[in-house]
C-alpha cells in the first residue's frame, strides 16, 4: 500500500527493514489487544494532551497500523513515538483501540533495535535512569541545578545553593540527605535490579546508552555479590 503521506520521509531506508520493524510490532503479545479497526472519529485526538501541543495524532497511529502502511509507520517510529506522554486518555476510543498501547510497543521496538532516533530522544534521561536503578529513587535533590531546570526561574539557584539547609528542614530522618529523595532499602534495590535484569530492561538500556549500562551493571552486581547472590543463578536469587 502507498504511504498515507505521499511525502513520507526515510525513502532511502530499504522497504524490507521497515517491514521487519513493522512485523516486530505486530508480533508483540500485546498487539492483538490494541487495535480493533478505526473509523476516524477523532475522539482519541480530542482526548490526547500531546495532540494539543505537537504535530501529533493518536488517530494517525491507529490508521497507519490498520492500513499496514510501513512507510508512514517508519516515519512515526522515528519522528513521533516520543511525543506521546503515555497518559492513555486515548483509550476512551469507542472501538476500544489503544493508540497509546500501540505507541508503547513501537517505542520498545525502537529501543530494542537501537534506532538513532530513540537514542537521541532518550539521551537526556540517562542520568535519571542511572539514579532510579542504582538508588531506587527518582529525581534526587542534588539534581535541582539551574542548568537542568532553567524553566524554574531564579528560585532554583536559591534552592541549589542552600540545598543542605532545605533538606534539614524536612522532618523524617531519611530525607536529610541531598543525594536521595528518600531512602530505599538495599534489599528492595537488589530485588528491583533483578527484576529489570530478568525482564530484559537492562538490555534495552544497553541499546540506548552503553556507558550508563556498564556503570550500572558494575555497581549493582558488586552489591549483589557483597550480599552473597550469584547473579547467574537466577533461581536461587528468586528463592
Ligand atoms: S477514537 Fe478510536 S476509532 Fe476514533 S479515531 Fe481514535 S482510534 Fe480511531
Ligand atoms: S497515551 Fe499518548 S497518544 Fe494516548 S492520549 Fe496519551 S499522549 Fe495521546
Amino acid at each position: 500500500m502507498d504511504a498515507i503521506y505521499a511525502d513520507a520521509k526515510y525513502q532511502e531506508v530499504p522497504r524490507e527493514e521497515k517491514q521487519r520493524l513493522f512485523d516486530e510490532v505486530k508480533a508483540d503479545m500485546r498487539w492483538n489487544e490494541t487495535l480493533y479497526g478505526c473509523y476516524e472519529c477523532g475522539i482519541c485526538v480530542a482526548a490526547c494532551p500531546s495532540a494539543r501541543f505537537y504535530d501529533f495524532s493518536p488517530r494517525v497511529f491507529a490508521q497507519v497500523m490498520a492500513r499496514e502502511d510501513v512507510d508512514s509507520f517508519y516515519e512515526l517510529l522515528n519522528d513521533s513515538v516520543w511525543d506521546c506522554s503515555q497518559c492513555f486518555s486515548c483509550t476512551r476510543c469507542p472501538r476500544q483501540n489503544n493508540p497509546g498501547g500501540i505507541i508503547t510497543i513501537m517505542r520498545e521496538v525502537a529501543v530494542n533495535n537501537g534506532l538513532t532516533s530513540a537514542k537521541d530522544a532518550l539521551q537526556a534521561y540517562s542520568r535519571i535512569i542511572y539514579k532510579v536503578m542504582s538508588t531506587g529513587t527518582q529525581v534526587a535533590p542534588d539534581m535541582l541545578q539551574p542548568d537542568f531546570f532553567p524553566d524554574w526561574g531564579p528560585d532554583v539557584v536559591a534552592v541549589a545553593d542552600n540545598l543542605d539547609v532545605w533538606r534539614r528542614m524536612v522532618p523524617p530522618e531519611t530525607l536529610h540527605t541531598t543525594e536521595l529523595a528518600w531512602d530505599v532499602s538495599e534489599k528492595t534495590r537488589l530485588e528491583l535490579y533483578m527484576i529489570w535484569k530478568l525482564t530484559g530492561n537492562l538490555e534495552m538500556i544497553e541499546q540506548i546508552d552503553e556507558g550508563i549500562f556498564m556503570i550500572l551493571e558494575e555497581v549493582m552486581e558488586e552489591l549483589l555479590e557483597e550480599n552473597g547472590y550469584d547473579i547467574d543463578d537466577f533461581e536461587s536469587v528468586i528463592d
Side-chain angles (χ1 to χ4, degrees):
M1 165 172 285
D2 291 337
I4 287 180
Y5 306 119
D7 59 345
K9 290 163 63 184
Y10 306 109
Q11 294 294 338
E12 75 287 1
V13 176
R15 178 94 179 180
E16 297 71 34
E17 174 63 0
K18 295 176 181 175
Q19 186 72 49
R20 183 184 72 76
L21 295 167
F22 182 84
D23 292 343
E24 205 172 301
V25 171
K26 289 188 72 174
D28 189 283
M29 64 189 294
R30 295 161 292 182
W31 169 255
N32 287 337
E33 292 172 10
T34 57
L35 190 59
Y36 301 98
C38 167
Y39 47 41
E40 302 214 68
C41 65
I43 288 175
C44 57
V45 185
C48 174
S50 294
R52 292 182 63 188
F53 298 103
Y54 302 110
D55 180 12
F56 177 88
S57 165
R59 179 188 60 78
V60 169
F61 280 87
Q63 283 290 319
V64 163
M65 295 310 288
R67 293 172 188 222
E68 308 213 327
D69 172 357
V70 296
D71 284 318
S72 300
F73 157 80
Y74 191 80
E75 186 171 331
L76 293 175
L77 186 69
N78 281 277
D79 293 2
S80 296
V81 285
W82 304 105
D83 290 342
C84 167
S85 44
Q86 295 279 275
C87 65
F88 296 99
S89 303
C90 48
T91 52
R92 58 190 70 174
C93 164
R95 296 296 304 266
Q96 277 81 52
N97 295 330
N98 181 356
I102 295 171
I103 293 166
T104 304
I105 301 171
M106 288 174 69
R107 285 180 171 192
E108 290 180 16
V109 167
V111 169
N112 287 333
N113 283 276
L115 296 192
T116 305
S117 55
K119 288 181 184 173
D120 290 347
L122 296 175
Q123 199 174 31
Y125 296 96
S126 291
R127 195 159 172 246
I128 294 176
I129 288 171
Y130 179 74
K131 201 83 179 181
V132 172
M133 291 186 137
S134 61
T135 67
T137 65
Q138 200 189 10
V139 180
D142 64 358
M143 291 166 86
L144 291 175
Q145 300 298 330
D147 288 352
F148 289 109
F149 296 92
D151 52 323
W152 282 32
D155 282 356
V156 72
V157 178
V159 172
D161 287 350
N162 300 290
L163 204 52
D164 55 332
V165 178
W166 286 105
R167 294 298 284 171
R168 282 203 299 275
M169 289 166 64
V170 180
E173 191 64 35
T174 53
L175 298 184
H176 286 176
T177 166
T178 58
E179 292 88 28
L180 297 172
W182 55 86
D183 200 10
V184 175
S185 77
E186 204 159 77
K187 181 171 180 290
T188 302
R189 279 194 289 146
L190 292 176
E191 284 175 1
L192 283 171
Y193 180 78
M194 288 308 300
I195 291 168
W196 286 320
K197 187 166 178 100
L198 291 170
T199 52
N201 276 278
L202 288 174
E203 285 162 26
M204 293 176 85
I205 291 169
E206 189 177 11
Q207 284 289 347
I208 291 299
D209 189 331
E210 204 179 344
I212 286 289
F213 166 78
M214 284 167 70
I215 297 170
L216 188 65
E217 192 177 44
E218 195 180 320
V219 168
M220 294 308 290
E221 299 202 357
E222 199 177 300
L223 199 60
L224 277 164
E225 221 174 284
E226 275 170 23
N227 282 268
Y229 294 114
D230 177 358
I231 190 73
D232 296 317
D233 184 5
F234 291 143
E235 282 177 17
S236 69
V237 171
I238 291 166
D239 286 346

